Structures are given as structure tokens and as C-alpha cells.
Amino acid sequence: MDTNSFDSGKQDRRRFMADALRTGGVVAMASAGGFLVGRRSEGEPMVWQLDPDRCTACGNCATHCVLDVSAVKCYNCFDMCGFCDVCTGYFEMNYKSLDTAAENQACPTGAIVRKFVEEKSGQRFYEYTIDEPICIGCAKCVEGCALMNGSLYLQIDHQKCLNCNECAIATACPTEAFYRIPQSQSEILKERAAAVYQARGSQTKRVIERDAEQTGTEIDQVKEAEANELLARAERQRVWRASQQKGSDSQEPSFQ
């Protein structure tokens, strides 16, 4: 899974999400995009991936993988993260203080890195990133984060996954959250995350096109490429979920 997309432009994403959370309704901004990308070609290799919307953070991902350290890792969708001081994904429920002491952290391996960003209007904001090599996919942070914005979620790291014919975690998953997806798709986003990406990508395109028109300059190609990437990711998810829904509908029992 390409983690660079999570790392790049985190500050801009945080600011965007802070505004979005305050005003609300960002999910409703999303609509079907016009980008037809991510279509898989015939014969494309398929890989395992899990749907974070169906994940219950049961912990099986950490214990049922055939690898010594699970190929399932935690990721943070910064566009959904509130950058909270009291992060329910980072801190133990009964933490003693809001610091990085091991006894205060929910993660058993200390894989979540807490970094101060800024203090604004009396509130302190922190960035939470995942030290992937020591993440074991136990989902304790995912369970805690679900109490807030739900920005932490699990995905299979395809650089580590052996792509077993019969995935032991998929077999053990109580909600059947594992799917075989085209290798080019790589990820399954939360529906909310896809909607946020769609909204931010569309907003960015409107802004750079407006700025170019007002100043008589060329469109910022870097920002345009970032916007297109977000829209493409959102569109791949829309197409995939539509295909899943279609498959589910086709299996509905007939009452005729």
C-alpha cells in the first residue's frame, strides 16, 4: 500500500479537516465524480484487502496472519483526524496523564507517534502517525478512535502480505470484511473517507481554476495533480462499492 499519499501534504489536510469538522456536512458534499479511472484490465492479479467499514477491531488480524508480524497495519486518514489532544486512539482509557509515557498509550508496541502541531484558541493539536514496522495490527487504536472521528483504520500492507490463496485472517474474520480486489486498486477506503477525498479534490480544483482565471496564470500543476489523485482514489472506491452492491443485489432471493 502506498503510504506516501498519507504522508504528503498532511498539514494542508489537517487544516482542511479542521474546517470541515467545524462546519460539518462535508460528507454530503461528495457526489459521483466524472473520473473514470482505476478500471482493472482482464486478467489483472487480485490481492487481499479488508473493508474498514466492516472491521470491528476484534484483534484477529494480529493473531491469525501466517507471518510472525501481521501484514495488516494501521493507517491514519488525516482528512478525518481531529488532531485531538485527548486522542482516544492513542491514549489508554484510564491514562494517568496526557503524555507519551508507555503506560498511557493504548498501543502495546508504541507504534503511534504523537507530535505537537500547534496551540490555537486555547486548544492543543497533535499529529498521530504510525510507525509501521512495529505495528502488529491489533486494532486497539482503531477501537479507541472509533469513539471519535474514526480516522485510524486497518489495511493490508501488500509489501508484506504473502497473498495466500486462502487468507487465514479472512477465514477468521467474524464480519467477513476481507475481499479480493484488483492489485491496482490496492486499498479499500471507508465510505466517509472516500467522500471527504472527493470533496477536497473538487474544492481544490475549483480554487486553482479560479485563481488561474483571476490572475491570468497557468493552473498550479502540483495542486491539480494532488486533486486528481484524490478524485481518482474516491472514484475507485465508488466503482468498487457499486460492483459489490450489484453482486449482493444479484444474490437476493427471489420471491416470485
Side-chain angles (χ1 to χ4, degrees):
M1 180 171 187
D2 183 8
T3 57
N4 290 333
S5 56
F6 293 121
D7 295 334
S8 62
K10 286 181 289 189
Q11 295 298 320
D12 288 340
R13 296 177 184 181
R14 182 190 61 73
R15 291 191 177 91
F16 172 84
M17 194 54 210
D19 292 336
L21 289 172
R22 292 189 188 99
T23 56
V26 69
V27 175
M29 292 172 61
S31 58
F35 284 71
L36 295 178
V37 296
R39 303 284 192 186
R40 71 182 176 96
S41 58
E42 292 297 329
E44 180 180 358
M46 304 293 280
V47 295
W48 287 105
Q49 192 50 276
L50 70 95
D51 181 355
D53 279 334
R54 302 190 67 171
C55 173
T56 60
C58 67
N60 281 349
C61 288
T63 57
H64 284 73
C65 185
V66 296
L67 296 173
D68 291 338
V69 179
S70 177
V72 176
K73 304 294 180 183
C74 177
Y75 295 89
N76 192 0
C77 176
F78 291 101
D79 283 280
M80 293 172 59
C81 182
F83 293 78
C84 305
D85 186 2
V86 185
C87 174
T88 53
Y90 181 82
F91 290 108
E92 272 281 6
M93 293 297 291
N94 298 317
Y95 64 86
K96 296 179 179 177
S97 61
L98 297 177
D99 57 39
T100 58
E103 62 268 25
N104 296 322
Q105 299 182 37
C107 180
T109 64
I112 303 179
V113 179
R114 170 178 158 96
K115 179 182 178 182
F116 175 72
V117 176
E118 64 178 353
E119 182 169 351
K120 191 174 183 180
S121 301
Q123 289 188 307
R124 295 166 61 86
F125 295 92
Y126 289 83
E127 180 181 87
Y128 298 91
T129 56
I130 310 301
D131 188 350
E132 188 178 311
I134 60 175
C135 173
I136 58 174
C138 67
K140 291 185 179 299
C141 60
V142 175
E143 183 181 21
C145 188
L147 300 174
M148 300 295 284
N149 293 336
S151 66
L152 296 175
Y153 65 104
L154 296 180
Q155 290 282 265
I156 294 175
D157 181 350
H158 293 125
Q159 298 297 319
K160 297 180 173 60
C161 178
L162 300 179
N163 201 26
C164 302
N165 188 40
E166 292 187 12
C167 173
I169 314 176
T171 302
C173 180
T175 60
E176 300 181 340
F178 283 71
Y179 294 85
R180 298 287 276 175
I181 64 171
Q183 189 174 47
S184 61
Q185 178 178 327
S186 177
E187 64 183 353
I188 300 177
L189 296 172
K190 287 188 172 183
E191 289 192 76
R192 185 184 171 203
V196 171
Y197 289 160
Q198 173 73 40
R200 188 160 71 88
S202 298
Q203 183 189 49
T204 299
K205 287 184 74 72
R206 286 195 298 271
V207 170
I208 61 177
E209 289 171 358
R210 180 201 62 197
D211 290 348
E213 182 178 356
Q214 291 179 347
T215 60
T217 57
E218 297 290 331
I219 288 178
D220 188 321
Q221 295 185 354
V222 173
K223 291 183 178 179
E224 184 180 42
E226 180 181 341
N228 287 338
E229 178 188 353
L230 291 172
L231 292 171
R233 290 176 71 186
E235 177 61 9
R236 279 194 291 270
Q237 299 306 304
R238 188 195 66 77
V239 171
W240 180 77
R241 290 199 179 276
S243 69
Q244 293 302 307
Q245 183 60 47
K246 184 178 180 180
S248 176
D249 292 344
S250 67
Q251 295 177 11
E252 289 292 324
S254 172
F255 296 99
Q256 293 181 348

